Amino acid sequence: MLRTRRVAVAAVLCVLGLLGGCAAQTPVSDPTPSPRTATPTPTPTPVDPAVAAVAEMSTAEQAASVVMGHIPTTDPTALAEYMAAGYGGFILMGANIPATQDELRGVTRALATDAALPPLIAIDQEGGVVSRLPWDDFASPRELQSLPVADTRTAFEQRAALVADIGANVNFGIVADVPVDSSSFISSRALGTDPDSAADRVAAAVMGEKGEVASTIKHFPGHGAAPGDSHHGIPSTALTLAQWRSADALPFEAGIDAGAELLMFGHLAYTSVDAAPASLSSRWHEIARADLGFDGVMVTDDLGMLSASGVEAYRDPAANAVTALVAGNDLVLMVAGSTADTAPQMVEAIVRAVDDGTLSPERLRDAAERVMALRLALAERG
């Protein structure tokens, strides 16, 4: 069989005049010149749209694109003027919610100053205790804790449709924390009461939101083990990385595997891993990327909470934004105490940090590209 195949190959090569052992033939003069073989045109390397868009931005524009700001108003003119600065996102809070859904659509239309590239318009629509939309009467996290897992998917399908209908495209609504007991401030907001049940329901919630809004899982690496409320301080725990990996990590891993587009970092410290709050910790960002495989947008919890924590080092939200970006966040969120001047101050601080070498241009560009990629994906989704 092998000899037969070799003979066949040799015959083909002989016909093509490529085998040196073929019988010589007298050359025949051909008055028609042989056409020259055209040099193949190389296929151009596809250009990533997000990379291309960010490459056209100035440092200040990149800095603005990684800020998710907030001002407490429903005035469409004021909102449009605010977003004209090029911020990457806006979070809807209670002060942005008018009386009717139609009026709220007017708010979100004003925020989307560029229809081809809408900002990330986010909302904390967990249901139950944390619910910005009074029209959300779907099952709350507290109720879902004792219902079949399928009910969580259904509730978040309905919730995501409600969020999308009013013009928001990001839900900061999936709590992956595992409460240590029922007295925890996060207990009524969590989807599960133990790591396994929480993991199942977090994955179901992400799947329920898929195709409607971008899902966010929070508050990484988890409030459960750290007692205290991060709205009033910086909760801490001595839990080791190995202990975290076997328990509190499971719901986050499940949400990431299910396709969550954003991961929100909490203002809480696992002191055996890093003394700094996770939101400002490069080590926790490395863990999320390398160990859990998260490749989406990393966003801080409200930096205004850090400013109000009572820790002097975190009093300045603009400085917190720079530290958060250096640590690995792609989007810096500011709510508590935010005025029309706060986001511009954050942008200025980010630009100064690039100029003085505190924040590398590459880190800012990477953050801007990740945010841009999500915005483009949501724009394409419509």
Side-chain angles (χ1 to χ4, degrees), residues 50-72:
V51 172
V54 172
E56 296 295 319
M57 291 179 169
S58 66
T59 301
E61 288 169 332
Q62 290 181 17
S65 77
V66 300
V67 172
M68 176 172 276
H70 169 77
I71 51 173

Side-chain angles (χ1 to χ4, degrees), residues 14-15 45 102 121 168 177 188 194 227 261 267 293 307 347 352:
C14 186
V15 170
T45 303
D102 192 52
I121 302 176
D177 306 278
S188 62
D194 61 78
E261 292 92 342
H267 305 312
S307 299
V347 172
R352 284 197 305 271

